[in-house]
């Protein structure tokens, strides 16, 4: 799959998640090595109005989604991959007023389960806000509507 | 603090999180032993339109928020407590069409850090959808707007 | 497999781990629902000579081994299953002078990966010292010596 | 504290852990930035005699100990710091016949709790066998024999 095709599929996938749309999340980059999403700064992600500190839930959603979508980078075709487990460790707080990037890649792919890891950062990927490890179940294309949902994604249907 | 006061504070806290409002999350119960939130079934939490399966991000947000708000149950007064780490392990999928409950309690309280654990379930708390462990930083009342945000919560201000 | 056969296999498996032998770990119980190991109190597990507090490494070894051996309970025949990930959350310290029990069971079995969870306790399983979640890779019987190691276990060889 | 003093303290600490002595663990390096331990290859760490694969418990012990001892690097004086939680994610298997290095550093120090992260590797730190995050409780010098155990360490007593 070309990087452009992969990025287009990732954008269609993300656009179907209302929850992520509210947060204005976008795909920044996607290729065989991994995926990067952006969470722009907005009132919707502020957890503490006095300080502008980000609500943990917004960051968690960013990283859950980023790790889950990293599975697109290693699968030949779209498959539904629900989260099996997710661990987030915050290294330092996000700075108010700046977009947050989430990057993730797959480090192990089995017939049923995909293992991913990633980080969130603002200016410098080497100074991560958090590091994340997540595991996702491959349901296959034929299971539970996988193929049809997959097709609609590839063909640009909602 | 009486259970009624604690529940009212929890409701004000939750109402300030736009992110949780979109998901229509509500406080079901709150007392010294822990807190229970409800995530009603709605199109906003569906991750796979074909099957009605819940988007992992919605469950993650429920449990991040439930664990974070469990800190209210053990603190004498409101303090801002951002997430330090969070681990979610999914035991089985949520059933389509049913509300999801998130329950959490604190099992260790230190001067700076609070340790919580919880579960999400639908019909039966003994058959959890996921089990969660989360750690939260106490910033104190005087730090980073803690007191003022705390006061506005206690006095019913937005 | 009968419970007696399963327990005998578990005992042979445990006896091959020098590391666990030093700690005098034994199989307390094994059946289709899970496995329980015992770590007796001994000088080898003390981390702090003044207080008799257990060294975390001993408890971690107990729970890593218990979760790993829980895979024996759900597999038709012995397979080598190395640890993929392990998370331990300590709820309260172990009491000096008392044996520690580790119990674990499998909650998801896929073609490649097995998910387990467990607890360690002393007197009361409902007051766990720690809760643990671990994921293990099935290498299959034919891979990397699995069959032969498996046979030697079943036949009571080394 | 000078690097030499720190390393000497770390060596005395490690020498008191029988469990680690069996595995022949040694301190490779210790300074304000973190600590590196070595687990030499030996029959005691082999989990699968046919392949020479390392028993997960040995690696877990290495990383639990490395993360726990990283607390020595940031504390002005020795304090007993039991493990509160530990997460290990294995990226790829250890190669038979080679020593394994464990490196860890502290990324957050509060009055009660210290947060650490680290990796295990053989030839190349950039290709980690596993990544680890661990949290440790500061018990203080005066609590539960802390001071006396601390003094005996500093003065070279067993």
């Amino acid at each position: 799959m070309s990087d452009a095709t992969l990025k287009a599929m990732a954008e269609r996938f993300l656009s179907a998640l209302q929850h992520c749309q509210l947060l204005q999340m976008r795909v920044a980059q996607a290729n065989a090595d991994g995926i990067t999403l952006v969470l722009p700064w907005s009132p919707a992600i502020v957890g503490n109005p006095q300080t502008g500190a980000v609500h943990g839930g917004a960051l968690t959603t960013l990283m859950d989604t980023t790790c889950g979508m990293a599975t697109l980078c290693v699968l030949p075709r779209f498959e539904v991959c629900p989260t099996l487990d997710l661990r987030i460790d915050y290294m330092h707080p996000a700075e108010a007023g700046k977009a947050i990037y989430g990057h993730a890649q797959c480090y192990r792919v089995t017939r049923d389960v995909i293992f991913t890891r990633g980080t969130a950062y603002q200016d410098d990927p080497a100074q991560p806000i958090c590091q994340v490890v997540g595991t996702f179940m491959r349901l296959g294309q034929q299971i539970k509507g996988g193929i049809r949902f997959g097709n609609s994604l590839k063909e640009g249907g909602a």
Side-chain angles (χ1 to χ4, degrees), chain A residues 34-117:
Chain A
I35 194 164
T36 308
L37 303 185
V38 194
L39 172 65
W41 191 262
S42 81
I45 70 170
V46 173
N48 180 340
Q50 249 81 7
T51 63
V54 183
H55 178 230
L59 261 167
T60 304
T61 299
L62 173 67
M63 295 316 298
D64 190 1
T65 308
T66 307
C67 287
M69 290 180 62
T71 62
L72 299 175
C73 305
V74 297
L75 294 173
R77 276 181 294 179
F78 177 79
E79 288 182 46
V80 174
C81 293
T83 313
L84 290 180
D85 61 56
L86 190 77
R87 273 137 296 153
I88 304 192
D89 292 282
Y90 289 92
M91 302 293 144
H92 66 80
E95 221 175 301
K98 285 185 178 173
I100 300 169
Y101 294 84
H103 176 75
Q105 58 189 171
C106 300
Y107 67 89
R108 181 181 292 117
V109 179
T110 78
R111 287 173 293 179
D112 306 301
V113 182
I114 298 178
F115 295 77
T116 68
R117 60 173 165 167

